[in-house]
Amino acid sequence: MISLGINYSQMHDSSACIARDGEILFAIAEERLSRAKHDARFPALSIRACLDFARIRPDELELICQGWSRPRVAFLHDLSCYASGKQPADSRALLNSTRHFVSMWHQRGGENRFRQLFGPIKGRFRFVHHHLAHAISAYAFSGFADAAVLVIDGRGSWEATSLWNGRNGRLEHVWTIPWPNSLGLFYAQFTHYLGFQPYSDEWKVMGLAPYGEPKINLRDFIIPDDNPYRVSTRLLIGKNSAPSSQIEARLGPRRVPESEIDARHKNLAFAVQDACEEAMLTLARAAVVKTGCRNLCLAGGVALNSKANGKILASGIVDDIFVQPASGDDGVCLGAALAPYLDAGGKLPVRKMRHVYLGSESSDGEIEKALQTYKLRSTRVADPARAAAEMLANGKILGWFQGRMEFGPRALGNRSILADPRDPEMNAKVNNAVKFREWWRPFAPSLLAEVAGEYLESATDSAFMVLTAQVRPEKRSIIPSVTHVDGSARPQTVERDVNPLYWRLIHEFGLRTGVPVVMNTSFNLRGEPIVCTPTDAIRTFFSSGLDSLVIGNFVLEK
Ligand SMILES: [Fe+2]
């Protein structure tokens, strides 16, 4: 069976993937191709890339699976929330809901757009319940036969959080907490209050939290342990679905974007993160009790909270955890593409996801052509891993562009900026010269899986940077630039057979320095999507303070 999965909601992170006989062949978010971050338009470029990769014509697709219910489901839920007073029913909010519904209805949830762009199809266009698609994207890639599956996001069509039970390839729905009682909403409104972009910059709040102290009580806004949690939507949602003025009334004026961060902001970030962690721990406990399973799968945007995920694992509430690396809505296409396997009592193909190198790739010939187009001088090297390790050991900051692009928000050694984690100044150097991003946001380490236990207290099998772990106290001064202020790190453990080139780079760096760990951050400028093509990489290289670019077998230096 050949199926195409798509995520298209007009809200954020449109994406597409293609699967053959239950195996994902290719997956990509629209933003990487359009270069518009969190692109919410119909994923036309992604679909074209999927078809080209699989060499399939649109009329050969057997199923096109959209990771959302039919448009009327969300609209009817909105109307019921307005009617019941769960959400303020002002005219602008109503108008926005109606506009969104009419636009999606006019496109038949994306089917008409697909037919317009790709011609007649023989296969079926079908809609997959949004949280079911998230749940499949976690369970089917976990490798667990039995698991509790939690989906926690801002909102689906009508859901905010849901629990599922995966058993032998089947998924049973256990319960759902409907929108607007949403943990994602709670976090997003305070992300906005702190002067950042909601549903995008939650990382910044999570990174700021360890600088704060437990001085602000948010129990008016959320009770994180109320079987399982309760969010005060009346105090969080204001007119036109914007953040409520009640937040400012109780906590003072919101932070102006880009202004100074003071102690109050740090303490609020602490309180928000703390409440989120407590709510997620409560959910994890409830999930184990309800399903009787001690393996936990997570998906949904809130599951990108690596700090909370790490705490769930370290708490001992569960034995094992799998977090879908593309837990945001981009990852919904994965679950949608596999959903047909559940039809007529069928079973999902459950396999452990070992990597997310599912995107596009450029051959050496294509890279050379791009270098020639821009008349750039480069050196061809026999072993890019060794050349990169040598430069890193000499304190250089590198752009590293190799193999197939990662799917999901994290760069995992194929579209990465790399640096020496031993230099305590490196965090500031990369922040100021390359990423132009906030001083408090930590960088992550990539380390050989073989030495993970020497450096980390937990999360020693963490391939996707979705679990935070404590760095062993004796190692913190050895890798200071990837150890956060509270002693934590968000590691990527690199296995030799999964990414041999990247493994060898870290290994070679270890031979030269005694530390088989590198600093890894995504290869992009602030506010831009991760680079996709050689041209993106070259442009980013020359727009930043990177010292060298290792692209395929070519090395460029400044
Ligand atoms: Fe979602």
Side-chain angles (χ1 to χ4, degrees):
M1 179 173 72
I2 299 170
S3 62
L4 182 83
I6 62 174
N7 173 55
Y8 175 51
S9 64
Q10 293 190 337
M11 290 191 282
H12 46 81
D13 300 309
S14 298
S15 65
C17 72
I18 192 157
R20 181 186 278 138
D21 299 332
E23 186 193 348
I24 304 292
L25 303 178
F26 188 91
I28 195 163
E30 189 74 358
E31 64 160 30
R32 303 294 170 88
L33 298 165
S34 69
R35 310 308 297 157
K37 199 153 168 75
H38 299 305
D39 198 338
R41 290 171 289 183
F42 186 78
L45 301 172
S46 308
I47 293 170
R48 173 53 59 201
C50 287
L51 295 171
D52 288 349
F53 182 90
R55 294 169 197 257
I56 283 172
R57 293 191 316 272
D59 64 359
E60 290 176 298
L61 289 168
E62 288 162 73
L63 283 156
I64 299 144
C65 309
Q66 145 79 316
W68 288 84
S69 300
R70 289 175 189 278
R72 67 168 181 269
V73 177
F75 185 55
L76 290 175
H77 185 67
D78 280 353
L79 293 182
S80 81
C81 287
Y82 296 139
S84 64
K86 285 182 184 152
Q87 215 176 318
D90 59 278
S91 55
R92 272 175 67 193
L94 204 54
L95 187 65
N96 280 346
S97 289
T98 308
R99 241 190 227 143
H100 182 258
F101 165 65
V102 169
S103 170
M104 289 301 281
W105 175 76
H106 187 66
Q107 299 177 47
R108 290 172 61 100
E111 181 174 359
N112 285 355
R113 287 290 288 145
F114 189 93
R115 288 178 190 276
Q116 276 167 9
L117 292 164
F118 296 98
I121 47 175
K122 292 189 194 121
R124 191 153 71 92
F125 192 99
R126 61 179 282 175
F127 297 90
V128 180
H129 183 81
H130 185 67
H131 270 219
L132 174 62
H134 271 308
I136 295 170
S137 80
Y139 174 58
F141 297 95
S142 68
F144 300 143
D146 297 346
V149 185
L150 272 172
V151 178
I152 316 168
D153 65 4
R155 72 168 289 178
S157 294
W158 63 276
E159 330 84 321
T161 297
S162 59
L163 174 64
W164 307 73
N165 189 0
R167 276 192 199 279
N168 300 320
R170 297 195 173 90
L171 261 178
E172 180 197 334
H173 175 245
V174 182
W175 50 245
T176 291
I177 301 173
W179 163 268
N181 186 11
S182 160
L183 206 46
L185 168 78
F186 163 77
Y187 215 111
Q189 302 301 63
F190 282 101
T191 299
H192 174 268
Y193 177 86
L194 284 167
F196 307 118
Q197 185 70 35
Y199 300 107
S200 171
D201 289 348
E202 277 73 4
W203 315 97
K204 299 183 183 179
V205 179
M206 189 177 80
L208 187 59
Y211 292 93
E213 292 175 37
K215 288 191 172 170
I216 296 178
N217 185 342
L218 292 179
R219 284 186 82 85
D220 280 354
F221 298 97
I222 183 170
I223 300 175
D225 52 358
D226 187 30
N227 192 30
Y229 71 84
R230 184 155 43 88
V231 161
S232 174
T233 49
R234 198 173 46 82
L235 296 183
L236 287 171
I237 307 177
K239 285 192 169 177
N240 191 25
S241 306
S244 166
S245 56
Q246 286 293 325
I247 304 176
E248 288 194 282
R250 282 158 199 251
L251 297 172
R254 72 178 275 243
R255 175 179 166 263
V256 175
E258 306 297 329
S259 66
E260 275 300 297
I261 294 277
D262 63 22
R264 191 173 66 96
H265 303 131
K266 293 174 188 170
N267 292 342
L268 183 59
F270 180 96
V272 171
Q273 177 63 23
D274 189 56
C276 181
E277 286 171 11
E278 199 175 338
M280 286 179 72
L281 284 164
T282 309
L283 282 167
R285 264 184 225 107
V288 169
V289 169
K290 285 278 179 191
T291 62
C293 291
R294 293 181 55 84
N295 293 323
L296 180 67
C297 298
L298 288 176
V302 181
L304 291 171
N305 194 311
S306 55
K307 202 71 190 279
N309 299 343
K311 286 205 172 166
I312 292 172
L313 182 61
S315 70
I317 294 170
V318 298
D319 293 335
D320 207 350
I321 189 167
F322 173 78
V323 183
Q324 165 53 242
S327 268
D329 277 358
D330 51 349
V332 157
C333 68
L334 302 176
L338 299 188
Y341 283 91
L342 290 173
D343 289 352
K347 288 181 176 186
L348 290 165
V350 177
R351 305 184 180 114
K352 185 174 163 73
M353 183 177 234
R354 297 195 66 207
H355 69 81
V356 287
Y357 307 117
L358 297 167
S360 50
E361 184 173 28
S362 300
S363 67
D364 258 10
E366 287 163 329
I367 292 168
E368 194 167 18
K369 199 172 162 201
L371 295 172
Q372 283 167 355
T373 302
Y374 302 114
K375 298 191 172 73
L376 297 172
R377 212 168 290 149
S378 63
T379 313
R380 192 174 194 132
V381 293
D383 186 352
R386 190 174 290 180
E390 190 69 35
M391 288 188 278
L392 287 174
N394 290 327
K396 296 272 173 69
I397 305 172
L398 308 184
W400 173 253
F401 181 105
Q402 304 288 341
R404 293 184 68 181
M405 185 172 63
E406 300 86 344
F407 182 61
R410 303 266 69 91
L412 297 164
N414 281 6
R415 300 287 185 279
S416 291
I417 288 172
L418 306 177
D420 185 345
R422 299 169 305 154
D423 178 356
E425 300 298 315
M426 194 52 88
N427 199 315
K429 284 178 193 171
V430 176
N431 256 338
N432 295 331
V434 182
K435 297 287 276 193
F436 312 115
R437 66 182 203 168
E438 298 77 8
W439 56 265
W440 67 86
R441 292 175 66 195
F443 287 105
S446 294
L447 69 170
L448 299 186
E450 292 85 343
V451 302
E454 288 173 37
Y455 284 83
L456 306 169
E457 290 182 350
S458 59
T460 51
D461 173 17
S462 169
F464 303 118
M465 292 187 184
V466 287
L467 296 167
T468 300
Q470 289 301 109
V471 178
R472 291 192 179 280
E474 68 276 16
K475 295 292 188 188
R476 291 177 190 174
S477 61
I478 295 172
I479 49 170
S481 68
V482 290
T483 304
H484 204 19
V485 62
D486 57 355
S488 68
R490 185 165 41 82
Q492 177 197 4
T493 53
V494 181
E495 291 180 81
R496 189 175 198 164
D497 62 326
V498 171
N499 190 339
L501 185 68
Y502 192 44
W503 186 93
R504 222 153 43 68
L505 181 156
I506 303 168
H507 175 65
E508 291 282 341
F509 181 77
L511 291 178
R512 285 161 178 76
T513 62
V515 179
V517 184
V518 298
M519 178 203 270
N520 173 10
T521 183
S522 54
F523 193 171
N524 62 295
L525 297 176
R526 185 183 179 190
E528 291 190 4
I530 294 175
V531 300
C532 177
T533 63
T535 296
D536 298 336
I538 291 165
R539 192 177 56 76
T540 302
F541 177 56
F542 286 108
S543 311
S544 68
L546 285 172
D547 296 309
S548 308
L549 172 63
V550 184
I551 178 166
N553 282 311
F554 299 90
V555 176
L556 282 78
E557 290 185 272
K558 284 180 187 156

